[in-house]
Amino acid sequence: MRLSRSFLPTLKENPAEAQIVSHRLMLRAGLIRQTASGIYAWLPAGLRVLRNISQIVREEQDRINAQEVLMPTLQSADLWRRSGRYDAYGPEMLRIQDRHKRELLYGPTNEEMITDLFGQSVKSYKDMPQTLYHIQWKFRDEVRPRFGVMRGREFLMKDAYSFDVDYTSAVASYRRMMLAYLRTFQRLGVQAVPMRADTGPIGGDLSHEFLILAPTGESGVFYDAALEEQDWLDTPVDTESNDALEAFFNRVTAPYAATDEMHDTQAWEAVPEDRRREGRGVEVGHIFYFGTKYTQAMGVTVSGPDGAPLHPEMGSYGIGVSRLAGAIIEASHDENGIIWPDSVAPFRAAILNLKMGDAQCDALCEELYAAAPEYFLYDDRPERAGVKFADADLMGHPWQIVVGPRGAKEGIVELKRRATGERSEVSVQDALTRVLQSDDGERAPTNGQK
Amino acid sequence: MRLSRSFLPTLKENPAEAQIVSHRLMLRAGLIRQTASGIYAWLPAGLRVLRNISQIVREEQDRINAQEVLMPTLQSADLWRRSGRYDAYGPEMLRIQDRHKRELLYGPTNEEMITDLFGQSVKSYKDMPQTLYHIQWKFRDEVRPRFGVMRGREFLMKDAYSFDVDYTSAVASYRRMMLAYLRTFQRLGVQAVPMRADTGPIGGDLSHEFLILAPTGESGVFYDAALEEQDWLDTPVDTESNDALEAFFNRVTAPYAATDEMHDTQAWEAVPEDRRREGRGVEVGHIFYFGTKYTQAMGVTVSGPDGAPLHPEMGSYGIGVSRLAGAIIEASHDENGIIWPDSVAPFRAAILNLKMGDAQCDALCEELYAAAPEYFLYDDRPERAGVKFADADLMGHPWQIVVGPRGAKEGIVELKRRATGERSEVSVQDALTRVLQSDDGERAPTNGQK
């Protein structure tokens, strides 16, 4: 994208309304604009981030054979009456009347709808297990929306729902999803730690939150350093084998990890002191097994192996996609701006032309840009070098390719890595090779998309 | 995708509520399910169609340098008060109150919001022209929603908005968009004819609807056969040259074309008889120039070349993305089911294993499937051949690869082209080559996506 022709409005000043760093930086870097309280428009660079995150989430869901659907944003109140939640849900639910005075609501989550869709179509245990997910906008009418997209009212979420014939199979679905989440967050370039969460009346140990470590996080977290050392992309797990899934689950859950709410001082003191990690975290995902709660309430059954009807066992699994855009910035920034992980960055590199109008600089920049226009933001504005450097740091491109008149004569550019500040003088070809090959190492072809 | 593990529920019977063929076929082929009046969930195959359409729309928007953003579904009533449309808009607007009694609405369109976003960020004529678009769900509270996704209440639309400093530049933006639309519809595999539409109080000739020809269309259409003969993918137009854009526009608009509303009998009779085409059409797009209507009403200006403030000239440009899924079926089906164009089909081919459990059939099918699992739907259900043939015809895959025990012994499969019914016996390698190379010829790498 050529910056001179782009809608990428950066701000020099910190917006007064933004209290936390990700909100400030998302406004300043031109990623989002607020259109109403807790409601945001995503500008071109922000939308690229949102889509990169969505795509990684999607690929890892597809990888465990979860199937993508798309449920609507508006739901009928009647559906929620069947589960008993219409009256139970508080003022966070946005209730709506249509022109015929029928009651609708803007979906805050989709357990009822997916249970109904499943029940309409699946009649036999033979067509199970199934895990369905969608990535869709939701609405929760927060009393005091704040922190930008971290606690917005209209937000993008991936929510998945599993349907199994029995508890053993449901546990396997849960564990597969846990693996998918660990891989997803690792590919997003952030450290996310799974923490045991409250299971309420359901009981058991099948509820985990995933928290990204960030100094501004809303929860205190305590965990064993062993959890930092795992490479889930390099850990093959046979997701068709219950034994392999159990071994995996035990490896994840054996080390101590808890938010302040669930913290157990005695267990904590059993962790060797040099392995104790304390910090703060932002919740970006939650997986939860809840058995037959909805299939019973809504009267959904399938015929079981013995011919008798049974209520499928369910779990639900959320990732806050729009929240992640903010959470990643909370975890990865410095005083000059955002530091995007390679896999999430709106552009892989900025090309900074320090002397627009200089024949050699212009030619070299055009040559670079033409090599991969979809990956590059070409700063072709008639601005001073200082402005271009500052904007590139603010926007957080993983790489900057700096083209000045002295180097251009010899076909040399300066390559800067945003995360480390490391700079080197390299040939055009070397710059292209390094920028285009840096990746999260797991960019599989999109499953199912042509 | 393996059919035995997929959520692709087909129906044998015609659903009683569906009055038109696309609605019937979308329900029967397991593409959608209704969740409330005029509101649908998209099941896995339907979502693939929706995404294929969106992606072609996106690529052609990006090609003319339109920039993608994503505006929220909910808007503040105050924004619409600034343009005067909050009170003027009828009961189709879904009005909502949040917990603080603030008035919101579910956006039926986005002129106000985009004008406001543009005005916040663009201050000078030097940063223009700009064309911004998004692909987002919208809501119009139809009195009697019907015809499935063809007239739903919650629907997916691409809407673009152009901002120019003067009329000449606005006309160029309009013509670029017309080209993008002609290319888009051609890539979608349908014949869409641009028809002059009413410009209301704006006047001039810059309003065109695009209608897909289908016997069930809502409007009568009359046009010169010359419009069928154009290949817009093979027609290079220099979109930076106003002269080239004018020549292009004249070529499109010279031949007679009108809906029954705008029909002019006298002009019609001037068309040579053998070139007169009459039929019916479904509106799938509309482009419209409306000048400074919103920038004036909302007080948005930029500084012009002479330093004085000016109101940018605007146009808006819509494509009904979810409606297109239905419209394409209206235009392309037979008594057995859907006939998907290659570019839109959820799967490029179905692999029909006629004898599950036969070692050679199974091995051959697995070999085919492994070659491109993202393109194939492998029918591995323990069903009779007749059921598999009927479902494949119903779902409308462009190709069927039929694997039976006799051929499998010699590595031979039957390849059937859905659109023509043509069948041939070919080797596995030939089948793969033919299926994987058939394409709409214009599947550019996604612009801006990694």
Side-chain angles (χ1 to χ4, degrees), chain A residues 29-48:
Chain A
L31 302 174
I32 55 169
R33 288 292 180 263
Q34 180 171 301
T35 58
S37 171
I39 305 181
Y40 293 87
W42 295 74
L43 306 191
L47 178 57
R48 283 170 169 245

PDB file of all heavy atoms in Angstrom, chain A residues 29-48:
ATOM      1  N   ALA A  29      -2.024   5.083  15.965  1.00  0.00           N
ATOM      2  CA  ALA A  29      -1.506   4.415  14.764  1.00  0.00           C
ATOM      3  C   ALA A  29      -2.571   4.304  13.667  1.00  0.00           C
ATOM      4  O   ALA A  29      -2.338   3.700  12.626  1.00  0.00           O
ATOM      5  CB  ALA A  29      -0.969   3.033  15.120  1.00  0.00           C
ATOM      6  N   GLY A  30      -3.750   4.851  13.911  1.00  0.00           N
ATOM      7  CA  GLY A  30      -4.779   4.862  12.853  1.00  0.00           C
ATOM      8  C   GLY A  30      -5.417   3.494  12.629  1.00  0.00           C
ATOM      9  O   GLY A  30      -5.834   3.179  11.514  1.00  0.00           O
ATOM     10  N   LEU A  31      -5.490   2.672  13.683  1.00  0.00           N
ATOM     11  CA  LEU A  31      -6.086   1.339  13.522  1.00  0.00           C
ATOM     12  C   LEU A  31      -7.596   1.373  13.699  1.00  0.00           C
ATOM     13  O   LEU A  31      -8.319   0.624  13.042  1.00  0.00           O
ATOM     14  CB  LEU A  31      -5.480   0.366  14.536  1.00  0.00           C
ATOM     15  CG  LEU A  31      -3.964   0.186  14.484  1.00  0.00           C
ATOM     16  CD1 LEU A  31      -3.501  -0.691  15.636  1.00  0.00           C
ATOM     17  CD2 LEU A  31      -3.549  -0.437  13.157  1.00  0.00           C
ATOM     18  N   ILE A  32      -8.067   2.189  14.635  1.00  0.00           N
ATOM     19  CA  ILE A  32      -9.500   2.246  14.950  1.00  0.00           C
ATOM     20  C   ILE A  32      -9.928   3.688  15.190  1.00  0.00           C
ATOM     21  O   ILE A  32      -9.105   4.563  15.456  1.00  0.00           O
ATOM     22  CB  ILE A  32      -9.840   1.448  16.238  1.00  0.00           C
ATOM     23  CG1 ILE A  32      -8.965   1.950  17.410  1.00  0.00           C
ATOM     24  CG2 ILE A  32      -9.667  -0.039  16.035  1.00  0.00           C
ATOM     25  CD1 ILE A  32      -9.398   1.425  18.774  1.00  0.00           C
ATOM     26  N   ARG A  33     -11.215   3.916  15.114  1.00  0.00           N
ATOM     27  CA  ARG A  33     -11.832   5.159  15.567  1.00  0.00           C
ATOM     28  C   ARG A  33     -13.126   4.799  16.290  1.00  0.00           C
ATOM     29  O   ARG A  33     -13.850   3.906  15.834  1.00  0.00           O
ATOM     30  CB  ARG A  33     -12.170   6.082  14.388  1.00  0.00           C
ATOM     31  CG  ARG A  33     -10.981   6.724  13.716  1.00  0.00           C
ATOM     32  CD  ARG A  33     -10.283   7.744  14.623  1.00  0.00           C
ATOM     33  NE  ARG A  33      -9.141   8.352  13.961  1.00  0.00           N
ATOM     34  CZ  ARG A  33      -7.858   7.946  14.117  1.00  0.00           C
ATOM     35  NH1 ARG A  33      -7.569   6.925  14.916  1.00  0.00           N
ATOM     36  NH2 ARG A  33      -6.883   8.569  13.483  1.00  0.00           N
ATOM     37  N   GLN A  34     -13.409   5.491  17.380  1.00  0.00           N
ATOM     38  CA  GLN A  34     -14.660   5.249  18.091  1.00  0.00           C
ATOM     39  C   GLN A  34     -15.815   5.899  17.339  1.00  0.00           C
ATOM     40  O   GLN A  34     -15.707   7.030  16.878  1.00  0.00           O
ATOM     41  CB  GLN A  34     -14.564   5.814  19.507  1.00  0.00           C
ATOM     42  CG  GLN A  34     -15.846   5.577  20.290  1.00  0.00           C
ATOM     43  CD  GLN A  34     -15.713   5.929  21.767  1.00  0.00           C
ATOM     44  OE1 GLN A  34     -14.880   5.368  22.474  1.00  0.00           O
ATOM     45  NE2 GLN A  34     -16.536   6.859  22.225  1.00  0.00           N
ATOM     46  N   THR A  35     -16.927   5.174  17.199  1.00  0.00           N
ATOM     47  CA  THR A  35     -18.094   5.749  16.526  1.00  0.00           C
ATOM     48  C   THR A  35     -19.260   5.938  17.497  1.00  0.00           C
ATOM     49  O   THR A  35     -20.191   6.673  17.200  1.00  0.00           O
ATOM     50  CB  THR A  35     -18.552   4.854  15.360  1.00  0.00           C
ATOM     51  OG1 THR A  35     -18.844   3.546  15.864  1.00  0.00           O
ATOM     52  CG2 THR A  35     -17.481   4.756  14.290  1.00  0.00           C
ATOM     53  N   ALA A  36     -19.240   5.237  18.622  1.00  0.00           N
ATOM     54  CA  ALA A  36     -20.204   5.438  19.704  1.00  0.00           C
ATOM     55  C   ALA A  36     -19.544   4.814  20.925  1.00  0.00           C
ATOM     56  O   ALA A  36     -18.519   4.112  20.802  1.00  0.00           O
ATOM     57  CB  ALA A  36     -21.539   4.753  19.394  1.00  0.00           C
ATOM     58  N   SER A  37     -20.112   5.026  22.096  1.00  0.00           N
ATOM     59  CA  SER A  37     -19.487   4.507  23.304  1.00  0.00           C
ATOM     60  C   SER A  37     -19.257   2.992  23.209  1.00  0.00           C
ATOM     61  O   SER A  37     -20.201   2.224  23.046  1.00  0.00           O
ATOM     62  CB  SER A  37     -20.405   4.829  24.499  1.00  0.00           C
ATOM     63  OG  SER A  37     -19.934   4.166  25.643  1.00  0.00           O
ATOM     64  N   GLY A  38     -17.992   2.569  23.280  1.00  0.00           N
ATOM     65  CA  GLY A  38     -17.678   1.142  23.234  1.00  0.00           C
ATOM     66  C   GLY A  38     -17.875   0.487  21.880  1.00  0.00           C
ATOM     67  O   GLY A  38     -17.905  -0.739  21.777  1.00  0.00           O
ATOM     68  N   ILE A  39     -17.989   1.310  20.837  1.00  0.00           N
ATOM     69  CA  ILE A  39     -18.196   0.788  19.482  1.00  0.00           C
ATOM     70  C   ILE A  39     -17.168   1.444  18.555  1.00  0.00           C
ATOM     71  O   ILE A  39     -16.999   2.664  18.592  1.00  0.00           O
ATOM     72  CB  ILE A  39     -19.633   1.068  18.990  1.00  0.00           C
ATOM     73  CG1 ILE A  39     -20.659   0.494  19.989  1.00  0.00           C
ATOM     74  CG2 ILE A  39     -19.856   0.491  17.600  1.00  0.00           C
ATOM     75  CD1 ILE A  39     -22.116   0.705  19.587  1.00  0.00           C
ATOM     76  N   TYR A  40     -16.493   0.638  17.746  1.00  0.00           N
ATOM     77  CA  TYR A  40     -15.362   1.120  16.963  1.00  0.00           C
ATOM     78  C   TYR A  40     -15.469   0.761  15.489  1.00  0.00           C
ATOM     79  O   TYR A  40     -15.984  -0.306  15.141  1.00  0.00           O
ATOM     80  CB  TYR A  40     -14.050   0.537  17.507  1.00  0.00           C
ATOM     81  CG  TYR A  40     -13.767   1.071  18.881  1.00  0.00           C
ATOM     82  CD1 TYR A  40     -14.288   0.447  20.012  1.00  0.00           C
ATOM     83  CD2 TYR A  40     -13.045   2.248  19.046  1.00  0.00           C
ATOM     84  CE1 TYR A  40     -14.090   0.978  21.275  1.00  0.00           C
ATOM     85  CE2 TYR A  40     -12.839   2.782  20.304  1.00  0.00           C
ATOM     86  CZ  TYR A  40     -13.370   2.149  21.416  1.00  0.00           C
ATOM     87  OH  TYR A  40     -13.184   2.680  22.661  1.00  0.00           O
ATOM     88  N   ALA A  41     -14.956   1.657  14.650  1.00  0.00           N
ATOM     89  CA  ALA A  41     -14.722   1.322  13.244  1.00  0.00           C
ATOM     90  C   ALA A  41     -13.261   0.924  13.108  1.00  0.00           C
ATOM     91  O   ALA A  41     -12.389   1.521  13.746  1.00  0.00           O
ATOM     92  CB  ALA A  41     -15.028   2.523  12.357  1.00  0.00           C
ATOM     93  N   TRP A  42     -13.012  -0.093  12.307  1.00  0.00           N
ATOM     94  CA  TRP A  42     -11.649  -0.557  12.059  1.00  0.00           C
ATOM     95  C   TRP A  42     -11.179   0.024  10.736  1.00  0.00           C
ATOM     96  O   TRP A  42     -11.764  -0.263   9.685  1.00  0.00           O
ATOM     97  CB  TRP A  42     -11.619  -2.095  12.039  1.00  0.00           C
ATOM     98  CG  TRP A  42     -11.957  -2.658  13.382  1.00  0.00           C
ATOM     99  CD1 TRP A  42     -13.199  -2.698  13.968  1.00  0.00           C
ATOM    100  CD2 TRP A  42     -11.045  -3.212  14.343  1.00  0.00           C
ATOM    101  NE1 TRP A  42     -13.103  -3.251  15.221  1.00  0.00           N
ATOM    102  CE2 TRP A  42     -11.803  -3.577  15.484  1.00  0.00           C
ATOM    103  CE3 TRP A  42      -9.669  -3.448  14.355  1.00  0.00           C
ATOM    104  CZ2 TRP A  42     -11.225  -4.158  16.615  1.00  0.00           C
ATOM    105  CZ3 TRP A  42      -9.096  -4.034  15.472  1.00  0.00           C
ATOM    106  CH2 TRP A  42      -9.861  -4.382  16.586  1.00  0.00           C
ATOM    107  N   LEU A  43     -10.132   0.829  10.783  1.00  0.00           N
ATOM    108  CA  LEU A  43      -9.582   1.444   9.570  1.00  0.00           C
ATOM    109  C   LEU A  43      -8.684   0.411   8.868  1.00  0.00           C
ATOM    110  O   LEU A  43      -8.458  -0.673   9.406  1.00  0.00           O
ATOM    111  CB  LEU A  43      -8.832   2.725   9.945  1.00  0.00           C
ATOM    112  CG  LEU A  43      -9.670   3.722  10.771  1.00  0.00           C
ATOM    113  CD1 LEU A  43      -8.949   5.072  10.868  1.00  0.00           C
ATOM    114  CD2 LEU A  43     -11.062   3.928  10.189  1.00  0.00           C
ATOM    115  N   PRO A  44      -8.192   0.738   7.658  1.00  0.00           N
ATOM    116  CA  PRO A  44      -7.522  -0.326   6.879  1.00  0.00           C
ATOM    117  C   PRO A  44      -6.430  -1.106   7.618  1.00  0.00           C
ATOM    118  O   PRO A  44      -6.405  -2.339   7.548  1.00  0.00           O
ATOM    119  CB  PRO A  44      -6.962   0.443   5.681  1.00  0.00           C
ATOM    120  CG  PRO A  44      -7.953   1.552   5.464  1.00  0.00           C
ATOM    121  CD  PRO A  44      -8.362   1.976   6.855  1.00  0.00           C
ATOM    122  N   ALA A  45      -5.548  -0.411   8.346  1.00  0.00           N
ATOM    123  CA  ALA A  45      -4.472  -1.157   9.020  1.00  0.00           C
ATOM    124  C   ALA A  45      -5.047  -2.008  10.156  1.00  0.00           C
ATOM    125  O   ALA A  45      -4.604  -3.140  10.381  1.00  0.00           O
ATOM    126  CB  ALA A  45      -3.401  -0.192   9.549  1.00  0.00           C
ATOM    127  N   GLY A  46      -6.025  -1.487  10.869  1.00  0.00           N
ATOM    128  CA  GLY A  46      -6.634  -2.241  11.963  1.00  0.00           C
ATOM    129  C   GLY A  46      -7.366  -3.471  11.459  1.00  0.00           C
ATOM    130  O   GLY A  46      -7.305  -4.547  12.061  1.00  0.00           O
ATOM    131  N   LEU A  47      -8.045  -3.315  10.328  1.00  0.00           N
ATOM    132  CA  LEU A  47      -8.773  -4.457   9.763  1.00  0.00           C
ATOM    133  C   LEU A  47      -7.814  -5.567   9.349  1.00  0.00           C
ATOM    134  O   LEU A  47      -8.107  -6.746   9.508  1.00  0.00           O
ATOM    135  CB  LEU A  47      -9.611  -3.993   8.557  1.00  0.00           C
ATOM    136  CG  LEU A  47     -10.394  -5.094   7.847  1.00  0.00           C
ATOM    137  CD1 LEU A  47     -11.341  -5.824   8.799  1.00  0.00           C
ATOM    138  CD2 LEU A  47     -11.178  -4.510   6.672  1.00  0.00           C
ATOM    139  N   ARG A  48      -6.640  -5.178   8.836  1.00  0.00           N
ATOM    140  CA  ARG A  48      -5.653  -6.206   8.491  1.00  0.00           C
ATOM    141  C   ARG A  48      -5.224  -6.985   9.733  1.00  0.00           C
ATOM    142  O   ARG A  48      -5.031  -8.204   9.685  1.00  0.00           O
ATOM    143  CB  ARG A  48      -4.419  -5.566   7.862  1.00  0.00           C
ATOM    144  CG  ARG A  48      -4.622  -5.158   6.422  1.00  0.00           C
ATOM    145  CD  ARG A  48      -3.449  -4.318   5.945  1.00  0.00           C
ATOM    146  NE  ARG A  48      -3.517  -4.155   4.506  1.00  0.00           N
ATOM    147  CZ  ARG A  48      -2.618  -4.634   3.640  1.00  0.00           C
ATOM    148  NH1 ARG A  48      -1.557  -5.299   4.070  1.00  0.00           N
ATOM    149  NH2 ARG A  48      -2.763  -4.460   2.353  1.00  0.00           N
TER     150      ARG A  48
END
